[in-house]
Amino acid sequence: MSTRTLIRGGLVVTAADELHADVLIEDGRVVALAAHGSDTAAGWTADRTVDATDRYVLPGGVDAHTHMELPFGGTFASDTFETGTRAAAWGGTTTIVDFAVQSVGHSLREGLDAWYAKADGNCAIDYAFHMILSDVNEQTLKEMDKLVHEGITSFKLFMAYPGVFYSDDGRILRAMQRSADNGGLIMMHAENGIAIDVLVEQALARGETDPRYHGEVRKALLEAEATHRAIQLARVAGAPLYVVHVSAEEAVAEITAARDKGLPVFGETCPQYLFLSTDNLAEPGFEGAKYVCSTPLRPKEHQAALWRGLRTNDLQVVSTDHCPFCFVGQKDLGRGDFSKIPNGLPGVENRMDLLHQAVVDGHISRRRWIEIACATPARMFGLYPQKGTIAPGADADIVIYDPHATQVLSAETHHMNVDYSAYEGRTVTGQVETVLSRGEPVIEQRKFTGRAGHGVFTPRATCQYLN
Ligand SMILES: NC(=O)NCCC(=O)O
Ligand SMILES: [Zn+2]
Ligand SMILES: [Zn+2]
C-alpha cells in the first residue's frame, strides 16, 4: 500500500530556488510541489502531514567525505556505520559517501567487500562508497573499471602518509590515465608527504613533540606544491581532479589558477578549516590533539580565502572528513610524539548547522548553503537528482529546519561516538527538527525514529558536474 506524506507551510530551499510550497511525497519519492494555498495543494490528502510553518524545507545533506571505522595509526575511527549514520541524521545529513580502503598487497575487491560488510544492515541513512587506492598496479587499474560499473565511481589517492596510503607520481599518473578512460573521478589528498616526513623527523629531534607541531611541519606550501603537482599530472592524463580537504590559501590559489584556465579541477573544504585554526592546535597541554587532522588546521588568516573560494565557486563542496578518535584512549597514542596522534576530527553531525551559521554570518547565501552541502556533492559524485534536491522524482530525503532555534554544540549532547566536540560550547543559530529518509521519518521533532538497516547502498553514476 502506498504511503503519502505532505509537508505543509514551509520555505523550500534548493540550490536553484526558494519557494513557499507544500511538498507531496509518495512511496519515498517527491511527487510534486505546489504553492501554499493553491488549488493544487489544497486538493492534496495524505496519510501523514508534517507542519513546516516558519521552517525551511531542505534537501537532506550529502556528506561526500566520511571515514566510519577507518583504520589509522594503530586504531580505528570511533564511529561505526551505525553510530555515525545516526549522528549524521541528527545533523540533517541523509547520504554519506564513505571511503572503502584498499590495503597494500590486497585487491580493491577485498577492501570494498570489507566496507560493504561493515555498512550492510547498520546504516540509518543511505550510503555510497569511494575507493582509496593504496596499491596502484596492473590488477588495481583493471579493477577500477569494474568498480565504476558497480557504482563506485571515485578513487582517492594520497600524496601524503608514506608507507601507508601514499602513492608516488608514477602511480598517480597511471590511476589518472585510467580514470580518464573509465569516467572515474580522482580525489586527491594533496600534501607532499615525503617532505613532511623529513620535517617531522627534524621537529621530533629538536624535542618539538606537542600537537601544535603537527600544524607547523605540514606546511601550507607543501599543500600548495602537491596541489599544483596533482593538477599538472591530471592535465597530462587528461583527467578531471577533485582536491579533498583544502585548507591553505596557497592551495586555493592553485585550484583557482587551474579553473581560470578552464581545467576540470574541483576543490572541497571542510567546516574545521572554516571555523577552527592553529589557535586550537596550540591549546594548552595535550588539548591540541583534539584538532589534529591532515591537511592541518591553518592560521585564521587562511579562512577568508576559503570563504571566498566557496563564494566564487573555486571551491565547490563542503564535506566533513568525519574521522573521529576519542581524546581518551585514541588521541592519547600521540602523547610525547605528535606524529602518533591519529589524524581526524568528528563533524558529520555539525556540518549543516555550521554552514547555516555561515549564512547567518553573511559568508554565503541560503541557496549557496544548499548548493555546497547537498546539490553539488550529489552532482559531483553521480547521485543527482536522486539526492541533493527537492524535485519530482527525487528521493524524499528532506530536512525540516528551524532557522531561529539556537543550540550549543557539545559532546554532552551530540550523537557521534566520540568523547569531545571540536566545537565545544559554540552557539549556533538553527537546528534540525525533522528528517525524512526516502519518506520515512528518521528524526521526528528531535527524537530519533530511524533504525539501523533503513539506509541502503546507493550506486553512483560518474561525475555529473562536468556535463
Ligand atoms: N583527514 C584526516 O586527518 N584523517 C582522515 C584521513 C584523510 O582524509 O586523510
Ligand atoms: Zn585525506
Ligand atoms: Zn578523509
Side-chain angles (χ1 to χ4, degrees):
M1 219 186 60
S2 80
T3 313
R4 281 160 68 100
T5 301
L6 193 45
I7 303 175
R8 290 267 196 216
L11 176 67
V12 177
V13 184
T14 67
D17 279 311
E18 299 193 353
L19 304 165
H20 292 278
D22 296 350
V23 181
L24 181 64
I25 296 163
E26 197 164 344
D27 291 335
R29 296 235 172 122
V30 175
V31 175
L33 288 81
H36 301 323
S38 62
D39 289 351
T40 306
W44 284 343
T45 56
D47 308 295
R48 181 195 299 132
T49 300
V50 178
D51 179 15
T53 309
D54 294 331
R55 306 288 187 259
Y56 297 158
V57 179
L58 310 173
V62 177
D63 189 342
H65 190 152
T66 68
H67 298 284
M68 306 305 171
E69 305 176 43
L70 177 76
F72 195 103
T75 185
F76 288 84
S78 58
D79 260 319
T80 61
F81 278 89
E82 179 169 356
T83 62
T85 58
R86 196 166 56 211
W90 273 104
T93 285
T94 51
T95 308
I96 61 163
V97 191
D98 202 85
F99 287 84
V101 179
Q102 176 201 25
S103 310
V104 176
H106 295 265
S107 65
L108 300 189
R109 186 78 259 159
E110 286 170 83
L112 181 58
D113 283 349
W115 247 256
Y116 280 128
K118 285 176 203 250
D120 186 30
N122 291 321
C123 293
I125 55 163
D126 290 350
Y127 59 95
F129 296 131
H130 314 284
M131 188 84 223
I132 287 177
L133 304 182
S134 310
D135 195 353
V136 177
N137 55 45
E138 275 314 310
Q139 189 54 31
T140 311
L141 292 168
K142 286 195 191 114
E143 282 192 282
M144 282 174 75
D145 302 351
K146 290 202 186 112
L147 261 58
V148 169
H149 286 117
E150 197 172 322
I152 318 292
T153 56
S154 40
F155 302 90
K156 184 176 179 190
L157 289 157
F158 289 77
M159 302 168 103
Y161 308 138
V164 190
F165 298 131
Y166 173 82
S167 293
D168 64 26
D169 290 353
R171 288 172 184 228
I172 289 171
L173 181 64
R174 294 183 77 198
M176 285 175 165
Q177 287 170 332
R178 197 73 179 206
S179 75
D181 279 346
N182 65 27
L185 180 62
I186 296 294
M187 308 170 76
M188 189 60 73
H189 180 132
E191 285 188 292
N192 186 329
I194 300 287
I196 286 169
D197 272 9
V198 171
L199 297 179
V200 168
E201 210 181 292
Q202 292 170 346
L204 293 174
R206 287 193 296 271
E208 296 170 352
T209 59
D210 289 349
R212 71 188 165 97
Y213 293 107
H214 173 83
E216 293 195 7
V217 297
R218 303 189 86 92
K219 302 215 173 282
L221 286 177
L222 295 178
E223 183 186 342
E225 182 278 324
T227 304
H228 180 85
R229 185 157 35 99
I231 291 167
Q232 304 316 317
L233 291 169
R235 287 176 82 177
V236 169
L241 175 70
Y242 177 95
V243 185
V244 295
H245 49 53
V246 175
S247 64
E249 176 173 10
E250 295 85 343
V252 179
E254 295 291 346
I255 293 169
T256 303
R259 291 181 60 76
D260 287 349
K261 289 192 179 80
L263 298 171
V265 172
F266 310 106
E268 160 201 278
T269 191
C270 311
Q272 52 268 37
Y273 306 119
L274 297 164
F275 291 94
L276 304 173
S277 73
T278 45
D279 293 353
N280 299 98
L281 269 174
E283 284 179 15
F286 192 61
E287 285 294 298
K290 294 177 176 172
Y291 307 96
V292 165
C293 58
S294 296
T295 61
L297 302 185
R298 301 290 180 197
K300 268 203 184 73
E301 296 70 56
H302 290 255
Q303 292 173 356
L306 299 175
W307 287 120
R308 191 170 52 247
L310 286 171
R311 282 191 298 271
T312 58
N313 204 41
D314 286 313
L315 300 175
Q316 295 76 26
V317 172
V318 175
S319 308
T320 58
D321 195 6
H322 176 74
C323 190
F325 296 100
C326 288
F327 185 61
V328 177
Q330 294 193 295
K331 291 285 186 181
D332 270 356
L333 295 167
R335 272 189 201 274
D337 179 350
F338 68 84
S339 72
K340 295 202 164 52
I341 300 169
N343 284 205
L345 256 60
V348 75
E349 189 171 348
N350 306 130
R351 182 183 66 129
M352 295 297 282
D353 288 329
L354 286 166
L355 290 177
H356 180 256
Q357 186 61 43
V359 174
V360 172
D361 293 344
H363 289 296
I364 50 173
S365 70
R366 206 154 43 187
R367 276 181 280 161
R368 185 64 178 158
W369 168 40
I370 300 309
E371 191 161 35
I372 62 183
C374 311
T376 301
R379 277 205 173 98
M380 190 69 73
F381 296 106
L383 288 165
Y384 195 87
Q386 182 184 356
K387 308 292 188 189
T389 193
I390 299 176
D395 282 355
D397 291 356
I398 293 180
V399 175
I400 312 301
Y401 197 80
D402 180 352
H404 304 296
T406 55
Q407 54 170 320
V408 179
L409 304 182
S410 172
E412 297 285 311
T413 48
H414 75 202
H415 303 84
M416 298 176 283
N417 184 37
V418 60
D419 61 358
Y420 75 95
S421 168
Y423 305 98
E424 187 66 42
R426 186 181 292 254
T427 301
V428 291
T429 304
Q431 192 169 47
V432 168
E433 196 169 271
T434 291
V435 178
L436 307 182
S437 166
R438 281 178 281 106
E440 289 300 313
V442 291
I443 303 288
E444 212 169 351
Q445 294 290 330
R446 296 212 55 74
K447 289 207 170 49
F448 181 70
T449 52
R451 64 178 173 84
H454 164 80
V456 295
F457 171 71
T458 309
R460 297 182 289 112
T462 53
C463 177
Q464 299 158 316
Y465 203 74
L466 298 164
N467 307 338

